[in-house]
Amino acid sequence: MVSISFLNPLSPEGKDIVRELGSFDGISQDIPELRRLVTRNPSQEIVEDNEIPSNYLELALKRMEWHIKKKHDREFNSRRYSFLSDQSITRYDVIAFYLLCQAIGVKFGPNSRETRVMVEAQGDLIQERLGKLSIGESRLMVEKSLQMLLKNDRVHWTFFQELLSTRKIRLTDLVLDKGELILDREDFIDRFAPRIKQRNPSSMYQLLIGDELKELIMVKMIMQETEDYIKLVHEKARIMVEPNPLLLELADEVAEVLAEPMQHYGYGSGRGGGGPMKAGPLNPLAFPPCVKKALDGIKSGGRNDAIVLFMTPFVSYARLYPDVFRMNISKRVSDQDPQLEITENEVLPLIYEAAQRCVPPLFDDQPQEKVNINAKLGFGMHSSLKMEHEGETTWYTPMSCEKIKLHLPHLCRPDDACKKIGNPLSYYNRMIWEVRNSNQEESDSDSNGVVSSNNSPEASQDNINTNDEVNGSKIEVPEKNSDNNSGEV
């Protein structure tokens, strides 16, 4: 029988496992039993010895590595991580979960990218593990988990207020009657059968609730509890004299896993040139005509759309995530700019300069458009960029050429290169490659003794812009209804 802690480490069973371990003694030492469990798994594929986690810390990192590669690596091989779905590692996995939460809470805090990825990874792993169980076993585990999480049969929708406020679940996902959540089949039929005409109530139950809604609620609630636990750890850590060095080391290694460049994941060159586009300083020489025109300032109507809907997505993606269309993976600004330093110091100033050059200057008579710019970057309707607001809105992708022609025709003044592309960002990427190739040819000529004109100030600036590089000793568990519920390590 699968342990409930294999799905929810914050369950009473999971807390008991942590209490048994108690301290940090041996946390980084090799565990032969863990290696044995991994290697004996019949589904496990092992290419190199270092792929086998040997202790709690390595297992913790494997949890994060699995999620990142599963999400981003087009050549992801799930068999290299089969051990993560093996219930025999439950004891070790629970400890690894707590170590991750503790490390991220101490070093990064609840509003960090690391917390968001940890919470997403936990939800992803729960669904992965449920998918490996039989249908009957999966249903039983979901039912047991919900009994622990919901605690009673009558649950009002306000119980999910935190889940709703953090957008982990939507009110429309829930089936309610007089404000109460309906999950049980018999309860559904008792309440709704008299109102259902010309449909089978049992079929309607399967359609509206069934296994999917129960699993969704269970997973989202565990994700929320994980986030809450990291927040509690962070609050307790603020009054700690000195965090355990092992936690800080683990936090740094987590950050390295999350910062793994996409180029390591085998993305092809596509049609833009000889490899994936790296984020780097903007090169105005590669801007398409429409962007150059917008940068000069809009002297007629359409200022708002030109700056907010057109320039904001283009500048932010060109600087932070130029390969968005080729990779086809949605991200947030903080995924590319964790401290928001590039966004604050490079992206926004360029957008603001274009707004200032408008006639009249955009913000002079419409200062609220600064809030709209933040919203298009994904930070909600707020006057400043703050991590706690990220995700309230979507980071808009750049307009296509067709949309520009339709909504901003005064910006569209195509040149010869425009005929080959369908989006200003694609134009920019193509021209970046041409500029680099041109610089390489000139460099090769210099090395062969040919005199180059690259000593001019303009050439020097071009070389700069085309740079493609982005510069405690005891484990405790959270207790409900207790003053000491932060659960520090």
Side-chain angles (χ1 to χ4, degrees):
M1 180 65 183
V2 180
S3 168
I4 201 72
S5 59
F6 193 51
L7 300 181
N8 184 9
L10 292 165
S11 66
E13 290 181 19
K15 294 174 184 177
D16 287 342
I17 291 173
V18 179
R19 291 191 189 96
E20 289 175 11
L21 181 66
S23 72
F24 262 100
D25 294 342
I27 225 65
S28 60
Q29 295 178 3
D30 283 356
I31 306 173
E33 173 66 8
L34 176 59
R35 289 183 61 88
R36 186 183 69 81
L37 292 173
V38 173
T39 54
R40 80 172 187 180
N41 187 314
S43 301
Q44 183 67 36
E45 180 179 310
I46 300 173
V47 177
E48 298 179 4
D49 186 68
N50 60 11
E51 294 181 359
I52 307 172
S54 299
N55 55 49
Y56 295 113
L57 300 176
E58 291 179 5
L59 179 58
L61 289 173
K62 285 296 180 182
R63 275 171 138 262
M64 299 296 280
E65 181 184 290
W66 167 81
H67 175 70
I68 292 296
K69 290 194 173 183
K70 182 173 180 283
K71 186 176 181 180
H72 297 296
D73 187 358
R74 292 180 181 176
E75 298 180 359
F76 173 73
N77 182 355
S78 61
R79 294 189 61 194
R80 293 192 178 185
Y81 298 88
S82 293
F83 64 88
L84 288 175
S85 295
D86 186 348
Q87 57 184 292
S88 63
I89 71 163
T90 297
R91 172 181 172 78
Y92 308 109
D93 180 73
V94 168
I95 301 298
F97 167 87
Y98 275 84
L99 289 172
L100 280 172
C101 291
Q102 297 281 351
I104 290 170
V106 167
K107 182 72 179 280
F108 302 110
N111 296 319
S112 63
R113 179 197 177 201
E114 287 76 11
T115 292
R116 177 166 61 83
V117 175
M118 173 63 196
V119 171
E120 290 175 355
Q122 182 61 23
D124 199 7
L125 191 55
I126 294 170
Q127 292 178 312
E128 180 80 8
R129 289 170 173 175
L130 284 172
K132 301 292 185 182
L133 302 177
S134 67
I135 294 177
E137 199 169 23
S138 176
R139 284 175 179 166
L140 181 60
M141 293 305 299
V142 171
E143 291 288 350
K144 287 183 62 177
S145 297
L146 285 174
Q147 288 174 9
M148 290 182 180
L149 293 165
L150 298 178
K151 297 186 173 55
N152 57 60
D153 295 333
R154 292 285 184 260
V155 178
H156 197 268
W157 73 268
T158 51
F159 179 83
F160 299 98
Q161 188 170 358
E162 191 170 13
L163 276 176
L164 294 167
S165 65
T166 57
R167 300 173 186 267
K168 290 183 177 64
I169 201 168
R170 298 172 298 176
L171 195 59
T172 52
D173 291 329
L174 307 177
V175 175
L176 305 173
D177 182 45
K178 298 178 181 179
E180 292 183 353
L181 176 69
I182 309 301
L183 286 178
D184 182 72
R185 181 180 178 278
E186 286 71 25
D187 193 15
F188 177 88
I189 292 176
D190 287 344
R191 292 179 184 239
F192 294 111
R195 312 181 209 175
I196 299 173
K197 307 298 182 183
Q198 300 178 340
R199 297 292 294 270
N200 186 311
S202 294
S203 298
M204 290 298 294
Y205 171 80
Q206 290 299 329
L207 178 65
L208 296 175
I209 301 177
D211 296 332
E212 290 187 9
L213 181 58
K214 291 181 179 180
E215 181 178 320
L216 173 68
I217 292 173
M218 182 206 73
V219 171
K220 297 301 183 181
M221 289 188 71
I222 295 174
M223 290 173 65
Q224 187 63 54
E225 287 199 346
T226 301
E227 186 174 330
D228 293 342
Y229 177 56
I230 293 174
K231 183 177 181 180
L232 289 171
V233 170
H234 176 69
E235 292 172 353
K236 187 64 177 286
R238 291 162 62 182
I239 61 174
M240 289 172 60
V241 177
E242 187 76 30
N244 192 293
L246 281 175
L247 283 182
L248 298 179
E249 290 177 17
L250 177 59
D252 289 338
E253 290 180 308
V254 168
E256 289 181 12
V257 171
L258 268 58
E260 188 79 11
M262 291 298 101
Q263 289 76 11
H264 288 184
Y265 294 148
Y267 288 102
S269 61
R271 46 189 167 80
M277 286 296 300
K278 298 179 182 179
L282 291 167
N283 184 353
L285 296 177
F287 287 164
C290 52
V291 173
K292 292 178 180 178
K293 188 170 180 61
L295 279 171
D296 289 338
I298 305 302
K299 308 299 191 292
S300 57
R303 292 177 303 155
N304 308 62
D305 287 353
I307 300 301
V308 178
L309 297 180
F310 172 65
M311 282 296 291
T312 298
F314 174 84
V315 173
S316 57
Y317 275 95
R319 177 61 183 90
L320 300 173
Y321 188 18
D323 239 8
V324 56
F325 294 125
R326 179 160 50 188
M327 289 186 177
N328 195 29
I329 297 172
S330 297
K331 294 187 179 184
R332 295 183 180 184
V333 167
S334 64
D335 290 334
Q336 303 298 99
D337 183 16
Q339 305 304 319
L340 304 183
E341 293 178 353
I342 298 173
T343 306
E344 296 273 14
N345 298 323
E346 298 181 41
V347 173
L348 287 178
L350 191 60
I351 298 169
Y352 290 172
E353 287 173 15
Q356 184 62 31
R357 294 192 186 104
C358 291
V359 179
L362 180 61
F363 301 141
D364 285 2
D365 60 341
Q366 299 190 50
Q368 77 280 1
E369 291 297 10
K370 284 190 175 182
V371 173
N372 288 329
I373 287 170
N374 292 342
K376 296 304 177 286
L377 292 171
F379 291 86
M381 299 297 290
H382 301 280
S383 58
S384 60
L385 302 184
K386 292 185 178 180
M387 293 296 294
E388 57 262 36
H389 299 315
E390 190 174 27
E392 291 182 9
T393 50
T394 301
W395 183 14
Y396 272 41
T397 50
M399 278 187 177
S400 67
C401 294
E402 288 301 316
K403 286 188 177 180
I404 294 169
K405 291 175 184 177
L406 182 63
H407 299 291
L408 298 166
H410 54 289
L411 288 181
C412 190
R413 298 293 184 268
D415 59 15
D416 290 340
C418 290
K419 300 175 184 178
K420 305 174 183 178
I421 54 93
N423 189 287
L425 187 60
S426 301
Y427 180 108
Y428 178 74
N429 289 341
R430 180 182 291 273
M431 294 305 294
I432 283 289
W433 285 114
E434 292 189 11
V435 169
R436 289 174 183 168
N437 291 337
S438 176
N439 287 345
Q440 184 61 48
E441 290 174 2
E442 291 176 358
S443 176
D444 292 343
S445 296
D446 288 346
S447 65
N448 291 327
V450 178
V451 178
S452 169
S453 60
N454 273 358
N455 292 324
S456 68
E458 293 80 7
S460 176
Q461 181 63 41
D462 184 30
N463 287 336
I464 292 172
N465 286 332
T466 56
N467 174 21
D468 65 357
E469 295 296 329
V470 181
N471 297 13
S473 65
K474 181 182 178 183
I475 301 178
E476 298 181 1
V477 296
E479 299 293 350
K480 296 292 184 180
N481 303 318
S482 170
D483 293 335
N484 182 25
N485 63 348
S486 63
E488 63 165 342
V489 175

